[in-house]
Amino acid sequence: MAAGLDSGGPNSYRSPLASRYASQEMCFVFSDRYKFRTWRQLWLWLAEAEQTLGLPITDEQIQEMKSNLDNIDFKMAAEEEKQLLHDVMAHVHTFGHCCPKAAGIIHLGATSCYVGDNTDLIILRNALDLLLPKLARVISRLADFAKERANLPTLGFTHFQPAQLTTVGKRCCLWIQDLCMDLQNLKRVRDDLRFRGVKGTTGTQASFLQLFEGDDQKVEQLDKMVTEKAGFKRAFIITGQTYTRKVDIEVLSVLASLGASVHKMCTDIRLLAHLKEMEEPFEKQQIGSSAMPYKRNPMRSERCCSLARHLMTLIMDPLQTASVQWFERTLDDSANRRICLAEAFLTADTILNTLQNISEGLVVYPKVIERRIQQELPFMATENIIMAMVKAGGNRQIQRFLEEEVYPLLKPYENVMKVKAELCL
């Protein structure tokens, strides 16, 4: 811990995700207070379950722990960690300092990952619970917009070249469909989360088996009881010291996929803003440019695209971390995960908050759309003309046949074909 630094003032760096963009509720889920309070809650759950299963832990010790869950001396913890170079033991000592009667049974039989990994899983679950309704709201707003504009014709584009007609509502449904897939995936990965549980240093539960004098049924009960107290339906049967880092891959893959959907949608909006057919909300006091007052830059969509790119790149961290976890675990996952997991959720949170603002205030300009349709109408008629030719006996496949099958065969002979035939006398 960087004890003594100005962690919140203008003289120290703070991530813009926390200081500028993400919601307070998401920032709190990834805060030190929430993390270390959860550590203490996990120690309490463990002690309660161990007491229930017969270990000599008193009600007085349990009550002392309960009374001090929020009494965290962050300065003391920082000083302890500076001496011990071990964050979990620093907080064991800090908790024990305010719970002197319970100090001896805090963290009893556990390894650091009991609090570290289980807290991470609780945080991932709760962060997903924050994202799911935000994404659902975005989809709902876009569905209202699509329904309202379902019958408004607009020029469709392929290769960003004029194609055939679609409708403004139909185009919006392309965005909605992708986001619905993301919603399903977020729900799936949230429901698939399993607790690490009470597993010991290498996942064998050997320390707890020793505490319960070889009673493996009590060890299994202990694991189940703590899992239920944490609100999980299932725990991993097999772990090393950590839960498998494939879980982080699963979670960040879904968030990266959400980033791709948002980037596509907001790029479409930016292009439509350039065409002056549609624009995102523009506030009454908003300034588009410091030098060009007429500008109406799509800054919200640009922000979403910018952050979506960052979100998509973060998947590389858990992929590489999972691939280099030697045997039961190595510690080179720790620093990386402190950064990438929090950044992924804070970024996704920011994107969805911004996207909701966009989707609630999209502005469409039907006259501009109509003018562009009229400009391209003669060219769009060619498809109907081709179909009429086919009905009259023509064949639209001739050109395709020539381009795909004939011309490629002739390509090696291009120079020869340029030679004109001489008249034979």
Side-chain angles (χ1 to χ4, degrees):
M1 287 189 180
L5 290 181
D6 179 16
S7 60
N11 299 322
S12 178
Y13 173 79
R14 290 184 64 202
S15 169
L17 289 170
S19 64
R20 184 179 179 92
Y21 295 128
S23 66
Q24 289 185 358
E25 60 267 24
M26 187 62 79
C27 288
F28 179 69
V29 167
F30 286 92
S31 68
D32 282 352
R33 180 167 297 281
Y34 189 81
K35 174 182 176 179
F36 297 130
R37 205 271 186 194
T38 304
W39 284 13
R40 292 189 174 192
Q41 183 67 69
L42 283 161
W43 283 321
L44 174 61
W45 287 333
L46 180 63
E48 288 175 334
E50 288 174 335
Q51 182 196 44
T52 300
L53 293 170
L55 291 188
I57 296 172
T58 67
D59 290 341
E60 188 178 18
Q61 289 172 315
I62 296 293
Q63 186 56 48
E64 189 178 50
M65 293 174 72
K66 283 182 179 179
S67 300
N68 285 281
L69 289 177
D70 295 301
N71 181 23
I72 303 174
D73 187 339
F74 288 98
K75 185 177 180 180
M76 179 182 178
E79 291 170 352
E80 287 282 339
E81 185 175 352
K82 189 175 180 180
Q83 296 296 321
L84 303 174
L85 300 181
H86 197 291
D87 56 349
V88 173
M89 287 310 302
H91 278 270
V92 169
H93 289 185
T94 303
F95 196 17
H97 180 74
C98 58
C99 299
K101 295 177 182 177
I105 56 95
I106 294 171
H107 199 66
L108 183 60
T111 184
S112 297
C113 286
Y114 167 70
V115 288
D117 273 32
N118 283 324
T119 292
D120 285 345
L121 289 163
I122 291 170
I123 287 173
L124 291 179
R125 179 192 64 191
N126 294 351
L128 286 165
D129 284 341
L130 288 176
L131 291 184
L132 281 163
K134 292 187 178 189
L135 178 54
R137 282 196 296 270
V138 169
I139 293 171
S140 175
R141 304 299 190 273
L142 290 173
D144 292 341
F145 176 85
K147 189 174 182 180
E148 181 182 350
R149 305 290 181 173
N151 298 317
L152 179 60
T154 189
L155 182 61
F157 293 94
T158 58
H159 313 272
F160 201 31
Q161 299 298 315
Q164 289 292 307
L165 290 178
T166 182
T167 74
V168 172
K170 165 66 167 53
R171 176 179 284 151
C172 182
C173 286
L174 297 176
W175 308 333
I176 294 171
Q177 180 171 252
D178 288 348
L179 294 174
C180 284
M181 293 174 67
D182 295 318
L183 185 66
Q184 291 172 324
N185 288 333
L186 281 171
K187 184 68 166 60
R188 173 187 56 78
V189 79
R190 187 257 183 248
D191 292 344
D192 285 349
L193 282 177
R194 284 183 280 176
F195 203 49
R196 178 193 176 275
V198 183
K199 296 295 192 294
T201 55
T202 59
T204 64
Q205 297 180 313
S207 59
F208 295 102
L209 198 61
Q210 185 175 0
L211 281 174
F212 288 101
E213 299 178 346
D215 191 334
D216 59 321
Q217 290 187 347
K218 283 190 174 181
V219 174
E220 289 186 10
Q221 282 182 276
L222 178 70
D223 199 356
K224 184 178 179 181
M225 289 171 67
V226 176
T227 298
E228 290 176 351
K229 284 175 179 289
F232 284 81
K233 295 179 180 179
R234 297 181 301 156
F236 283 102
I237 298 173
I238 295 294
T239 72
Q241 189 174 91
T242 70
Y243 69 79
T244 171
R245 296 310 184 214
K246 293 277 285 185
V247 173
D248 298 342
I249 295 174
E250 287 287 316
V251 173
L252 263 66
S253 291
V254 172
L255 296 182
S257 181
L258 171 64
S261 301
V262 172
H263 200 292
K264 183 265 190 292
M265 172 183 166
C266 289
T267 299
D268 285 353
I269 293 172
R270 292 165 66 189
L271 293 171
L272 290 168
H274 170 75
L275 298 174
K276 302 189 185 302
E277 294 187 6
M278 179 190 292
E279 67 179 13
E280 63 182 34
F282 198 88
E283 305 299 332
K284 186 176 181 180
Q285 300 296 323
Q286 183 175 335
I287 296 174
S289 168
S290 61
M292 297 168 282
Y294 55 87
K295 294 284 292 291
R296 297 174 70 87
N297 300 331
M299 50 82 68
R300 293 171 178 81
S301 297
E302 291 173 314
R303 177 184 298 170
C304 284
C305 287
S306 180
L307 292 171
R309 290 200 305 273
H310 179 58
L311 182 56
M312 289 186 282
T313 64
L314 289 174
I315 184 56
M316 292 306 301
D317 279 333
L319 281 170
Q320 295 187 66
T321 294
S323 73
V324 297
Q325 286 299 286
W326 303 346
F327 303 111
E328 280 66 48
R329 89 80 61 94
T330 57
L331 193 59
D332 62 348
D333 63 341
S334 179
N336 186 286
R337 294 176 69 252
R338 288 175 193 265
I339 297 169
C340 73
L341 295 181
E343 285 207 351
F345 276 95
L346 266 64
T347 303
D349 180 72
T350 302
I351 287 171
L352 291 178
N353 291 337
T354 309
L355 200 59
Q356 181 178 338
N357 178 265
I358 293 172
S359 61
E360 289 176 346
L362 286 171
V363 179
V364 177
Y365 295 102
K367 293 295 183 181
V368 177
I369 293 173
E370 182 182 0
R371 184 165 64 246
R372 182 160 284 107
I373 291 174
Q374 294 301 322
Q375 291 173 346
E376 301 295 337
L377 200 56
F379 303 103
M380 287 189 287
T382 56
E383 184 169 5
N384 293 329
I385 294 171
I386 291 173
M387 288 188 289
M389 289 169 58
V390 171
K391 288 182 179 179
N395 190 341
R396 66 175 297 178
Q397 305 307 319
I398 292 176
Q399 184 65 24
R400 180 182 173 189
F401 170 70
L402 293 174
E403 290 180 354
E404 294 186 9
E405 298 191 26
V406 177
Y407 294 152
L409 291 174
L410 298 179
K411 191 171 181 63
Y413 306 100
E414 286 177 340
N415 293 332
V416 178
M417 287 187 293
K418 292 178 181 178
V419 178
K420 293 183 179 180
E422 293 183 2
L423 180 63
C424 296
L425 300 174

mmCIF file of all heavy atoms in Angstrom, residues 174-194:
data_model
loop_
_atom_site.group_PDB
_atom_site.id
_atom_site.type_symbol
_atom_site.label_atom_id
_atom_site.label_comp_id
_atom_site.label_asym_id
_atom_site.label_seq_id
_atom_site.Cartn_x
_atom_site.Cartn_y
_atom_site.Cartn_z
ATOM 1 N N LEU A 174 -30.855 -4.011 -35.182
ATOM 2 C CA LEU A 174 -29.548 -4.656 -35.302
ATOM 3 C C LEU A 174 -28.743 -4.441 -34.028
ATOM 4 O O LEU A 174 -28.076 -5.350 -33.528
ATOM 5 C CB LEU A 174 -28.787 -4.102 -36.503
ATOM 6 C CG LEU A 174 -29.380 -4.328 -37.896
ATOM 7 C CD1 LEU A 174 -28.532 -3.619 -38.944
ATOM 8 C CD2 LEU A 174 -29.480 -5.813 -38.210
ATOM 9 N N TRP A 175 -28.795 -3.227 -33.506
ATOM 10 C CA TRP A 175 -28.084 -2.921 -32.257
ATOM 11 C C TRP A 175 -28.704 -3.695 -31.093
ATOM 12 O O TRP A 175 -27.983 -4.266 -30.276
ATOM 13 C CB TRP A 175 -28.136 -1.426 -31.951
ATOM 14 C CG TRP A 175 -27.687 -0.533 -33.069
ATOM 15 C CD1 TRP A 175 -26.810 -0.834 -34.074
ATOM 16 C CD2 TRP A 175 -28.099 0.824 -33.301
ATOM 17 N NE1 TRP A 175 -26.650 0.246 -34.903
ATOM 18 C CE2 TRP A 175 -27.421 1.277 -34.459
ATOM 19 C CE3 TRP A 175 -28.963 1.702 -32.652
ATOM 20 C CZ2 TRP A 175 -27.593 2.572 -34.964
ATOM 21 C CZ3 TRP A 175 -29.136 2.990 -33.152
ATOM 22 C CH2 TRP A 175 -28.459 3.416 -34.304
ATOM 23 N N ILE A 176 -30.032 -3.693 -31.058
ATOM 24 C CA ILE A 176 -30.739 -4.359 -29.957
ATOM 25 C C ILE A 176 -30.423 -5.847 -29.930
ATOM 26 O O ILE A 176 -30.197 -6.428 -28.863
ATOM 27 C CB ILE A 176 -32.262 -4.132 -30.086
ATOM 28 C CG1 ILE A 176 -32.598 -2.649 -29.880
ATOM 29 C CG2 ILE A 176 -33.025 -4.991 -29.094
ATOM 30 C CD1 ILE A 176 -34.044 -2.311 -30.199
ATOM 31 N N GLN A 177 -30.406 -6.466 -31.095
ATOM 32 C CA GLN A 177 -30.150 -7.908 -31.148
ATOM 33 C C GLN A 177 -28.785 -8.251 -30.555
ATOM 34 O O GLN A 177 -28.654 -9.208 -29.771
ATOM 35 C CB GLN A 177 -30.212 -8.388 -32.603
ATOM 36 C CG GLN A 177 -29.964 -9.872 -32.775
ATOM 37 C CD GLN A 177 -30.246 -10.324 -34.188
ATOM 38 O OE1 GLN A 177 -31.234 -10.998 -34.454
ATOM 39 N NE2 GLN A 177 -29.376 -9.937 -35.116
ATOM 40 N N ASP A 178 -27.764 -7.470 -30.893
ATOM 41 C CA ASP A 178 -26.428 -7.717 -30.329
ATOM 42 C C ASP A 178 -26.435 -7.530 -28.820
ATOM 43 O O ASP A 178 -25.848 -8.327 -28.074
ATOM 44 C CB ASP A 178 -25.402 -6.767 -30.957
ATOM 45 C CG ASP A 178 -25.089 -7.124 -32.407
ATOM 46 O OD1 ASP A 178 -25.491 -8.220 -32.846
ATOM 47 O OD2 ASP A 178 -24.442 -6.301 -33.085
ATOM 48 N N LEU A 179 -27.090 -6.471 -28.351
ATOM 49 C CA LEU A 179 -27.118 -6.202 -26.915
ATOM 50 C C LEU A 179 -27.924 -7.261 -26.159
ATOM 51 O O LEU A 179 -27.600 -7.573 -25.003
ATOM 52 C CB LEU A 179 -27.689 -4.808 -26.654
ATOM 53 C CG LEU A 179 -26.828 -3.641 -27.160
ATOM 54 C CD1 LEU A 179 -27.567 -2.323 -26.967
ATOM 55 C CD2 LEU A 179 -25.478 -3.601 -26.453
ATOM 56 N N CYS A 180 -28.943 -7.819 -26.794
ATOM 57 C CA CYS A 180 -29.700 -8.906 -26.165
ATOM 58 C C CYS A 180 -28.818 -10.140 -25.980
ATOM 59 O O CYS A 180 -28.902 -10.840 -24.960
ATOM 60 C CB CYS A 180 -30.932 -9.261 -26.996
ATOM 61 S SG CYS A 180 -32.296 -8.087 -26.841
ATOM 62 N N MET A 181 -27.970 -10.405 -26.965
ATOM 63 C CA MET A 181 -27.018 -11.506 -26.815
ATOM 64 C C MET A 181 -26.070 -11.241 -25.651
ATOM 65 O O MET A 181 -25.742 -12.150 -24.870
ATOM 66 C CB MET A 181 -26.234 -11.699 -28.113
ATOM 67 C CG MET A 181 -27.082 -12.186 -29.276
ATOM 68 S SD MET A 181 -26.173 -12.250 -30.835
ATOM 69 C CE MET A 181 -24.992 -13.558 -30.497
ATOM 70 N N ASP A 182 -25.640 -9.989 -25.517
ATOM 71 C CA ASP A 182 -24.764 -9.629 -24.400
ATOM 72 C C ASP A 182 -25.477 -9.793 -23.067
ATOM 73 O O ASP A 182 -24.877 -10.256 -22.090
ATOM 74 C CB ASP A 182 -24.270 -8.185 -24.560
ATOM 75 C CG ASP A 182 -23.396 -8.003 -25.784
ATOM 76 O OD1 ASP A 182 -22.549 -8.871 -26.037
ATOM 77 O OD2 ASP A 182 -23.569 -6.992 -26.484
ATOM 78 N N LEU A 183 -26.751 -9.412 -23.015
ATOM 79 C CA LEU A 183 -27.525 -9.551 -21.781
ATOM 80 C C LEU A 183 -27.629 -11.019 -21.374
ATOM 81 O O LEU A 183 -27.447 -11.366 -20.203
ATOM 82 C CB LEU A 183 -28.925 -8.952 -21.967
ATOM 83 C CG LEU A 183 -29.814 -8.913 -20.733
ATOM 84 C CD1 LEU A 183 -29.248 -7.959 -19.691
ATOM 85 C CD2 LEU A 183 -31.242 -8.507 -21.100
ATOM 86 N N GLN A 184 -27.904 -11.879 -22.343
ATOM 87 C CA GLN A 184 -27.988 -13.306 -22.062
ATOM 88 C C GLN A 184 -26.649 -13.852 -21.566
ATOM 89 O O GLN A 184 -26.601 -14.664 -20.637
ATOM 90 C CB GLN A 184 -28.438 -14.059 -23.321
ATOM 91 C CG GLN A 184 -29.893 -13.784 -23.706
ATOM 92 C CD GLN A 184 -30.253 -14.392 -25.048
ATOM 93 O OE1 GLN A 184 -29.447 -14.434 -25.978
ATOM 94 N NE2 GLN A 184 -31.473 -14.880 -25.159
ATOM 95 N N ASN A 185 -25.575 -13.399 -22.192
ATOM 96 C CA ASN A 185 -24.248 -13.880 -21.803
ATOM 97 C C ASN A 185 -23.850 -13.387 -20.415
ATOM 98 O O ASN A 185 -23.232 -14.119 -19.636
ATOM 99 C CB ASN A 185 -23.211 -13.453 -22.837
ATOM 100 C CG ASN A 185 -23.327 -14.226 -24.134
ATOM 101 O OD1 ASN A 185 -23.799 -15.371 -24.133
ATOM 102 N ND2 ASN A 185 -22.921 -13.634 -25.242
ATOM 103 N N LEU A 186 -24.182 -12.129 -20.107
ATOM 104 C CA LEU A 186 -23.900 -11.609 -18.769
ATOM 105 C C LEU A 186 -24.666 -12.397 -17.708
ATOM 106 O O LEU A 186 -24.112 -12.733 -16.655
ATOM 107 C CB LEU A 186 -24.282 -10.133 -18.683
ATOM 108 C CG LEU A 186 -23.317 -9.111 -19.278
ATOM 109 C CD1 LEU A 186 -23.956 -7.727 -19.295
ATOM 110 C CD2 LEU A 186 -22.018 -9.066 -18.485
ATOM 111 N N LYS A 187 -25.921 -12.686 -17.978
ATOM 112 C CA LYS A 187 -26.739 -13.457 -17.035
ATOM 113 C C LYS A 187 -26.178 -14.866 -16.878
ATOM 114 O O LYS A 187 -26.105 -15.396 -15.751
ATOM 115 C CB LYS A 187 -28.189 -13.514 -17.541
ATOM 116 C CG LYS A 187 -29.161 -14.212 -16.599
ATOM 117 C CD LYS A 187 -29.363 -13.415 -15.335
ATOM 118 C CE LYS A 187 -30.558 -13.886 -14.531
ATOM 119 N NZ LYS A 187 -30.466 -15.298 -14.103
ATOM 120 N N ARG A 188 -25.779 -15.462 -17.983
ATOM 121 C CA ARG A 188 -25.225 -16.823 -17.920
ATOM 122 C C ARG A 188 -23.954 -16.872 -17.076
ATOM 123 O O ARG A 188 -23.812 -17.720 -16.194
ATOM 124 C CB ARG A 188 -24.932 -17.342 -19.330
ATOM 125 C CG ARG A 188 -24.190 -18.679 -19.352
ATOM 126 C CD ARG A 188 -23.778 -19.061 -20.757
ATOM 127 N NE ARG A 188 -22.979 -18.037 -21.401
ATOM 128 C CZ ARG A 188 -21.685 -17.826 -21.153
ATOM 129 N NH1 ARG A 188 -21.048 -18.552 -20.246
ATOM 130 N NH2 ARG A 188 -21.025 -16.882 -21.794
ATOM 131 N N VAL A 189 -23.031 -15.950 -17.359
ATOM 132 C CA VAL A 189 -21.760 -16.000 -16.645
ATOM 133 C C VAL A 189 -21.949 -15.656 -15.170
ATOM 134 O O VAL A 189 -21.249 -16.185 -14.301
ATOM 135 C CB VAL A 189 -20.720 -15.069 -17.317
ATOM 136 C CG1 VAL A 189 -20.924 -13.614 -16.944
ATOM 137 C CG2 VAL A 189 -19.296 -15.494 -16.992
ATOM 138 N N ARG A 190 -22.927 -14.819 -14.870
ATOM 139 C CA ARG A 190 -23.235 -14.502 -13.471
ATOM 140 C C ARG A 190 -23.788 -15.736 -12.760
ATOM 141 O O ARG A 190 -23.381 -16.072 -11.652
ATOM 142 C CB ARG A 190 -24.238 -13.349 -13.406
ATOM 143 C CG ARG A 190 -24.484 -12.827 -11.973
ATOM 144 C CD ARG A 190 -25.796 -13.355 -11.460
ATOM 145 N NE ARG A 190 -26.094 -12.822 -10.131
ATOM 146 C CZ ARG A 190 -26.124 -13.556 -9.018
ATOM 147 N NH1 ARG A 190 -25.874 -14.847 -9.062
ATOM 148 N NH2 ARG A 190 -26.407 -12.999 -7.855
ATOM 149 N N ASP A 191 -24.724 -16.434 -13.398
ATOM 150 C CA ASP A 191 -25.340 -17.596 -12.774
ATOM 151 C C ASP A 191 -24.377 -18.783 -12.683
ATOM 152 O O ASP A 191 -24.558 -19.673 -11.840
ATOM 153 C CB ASP A 191 -26.593 -18.007 -13.551
ATOM 154 C CG ASP A 191 -27.711 -16.979 -13.418
ATOM 155 O OD1 ASP A 191 -27.640 -16.131 -12.509
ATOM 156 O OD2 ASP A 191 -28.650 -17.022 -14.239
ATOM 157 N N ASP A 192 -23.374 -18.817 -13.553
ATOM 158 C CA ASP A 192 -22.401 -19.913 -13.551
ATOM 159 C C ASP A 192 -21.294 -19.728 -12.516
ATOM 160 O O ASP A 192 -20.500 -20.650 -12.296
ATOM 161 C CB ASP A 192 -21.758 -20.072 -14.931
ATOM 162 C CG ASP A 192 -22.699 -20.720 -15.937
ATOM 163 O OD1 ASP A 192 -23.755 -21.231 -15.519
ATOM 164 O OD2 ASP A 192 -22.384 -20.711 -17.142
ATOM 165 N N LEU A 193 -21.213 -18.543 -11.894
ATOM 166 C CA LEU A 193 -20.151 -18.305 -10.921
ATOM 167 C C LEU A 193 -20.272 -19.284 -9.752
ATOM 168 O O LEU A 193 -21.360 -19.505 -9.215
ATOM 169 C CB LEU A 193 -20.214 -16.880 -10.376
ATOM 170 C CG LEU A 193 -19.662 -15.761 -11.258
ATOM 171 C CD1 LEU A 193 -19.885 -14.414 -10.583
ATOM 172 C CD2 LEU A 193 -18.172 -15.955 -11.554
ATOM 173 N N ARG A 194 -19.137 -19.857 -9.380
ATOM 174 C CA ARG A 194 -19.088 -20.744 -8.227
ATOM 175 C C ARG A 194 -18.121 -20.180 -7.189
ATOM 176 O O ARG A 194 -17.155 -19.512 -7.527
ATOM 177 C CB ARG A 194 -18.637 -22.150 -8.646
ATOM 178 C CG ARG A 194 -19.711 -22.954 -9.342
ATOM 179 C CD ARG A 194 -19.238 -24.352 -9.680
ATOM 180 N NE ARG A 194 -18.417 -24.372 -10.894
ATOM 181 C CZ ARG A 194 -17.813 -25.462 -11.356
ATOM 182 N NH1 ARG A 194 -17.920 -26.611 -10.694
ATOM 183 N NH2 ARG A 194 -17.106 -25.410 -12.464
#
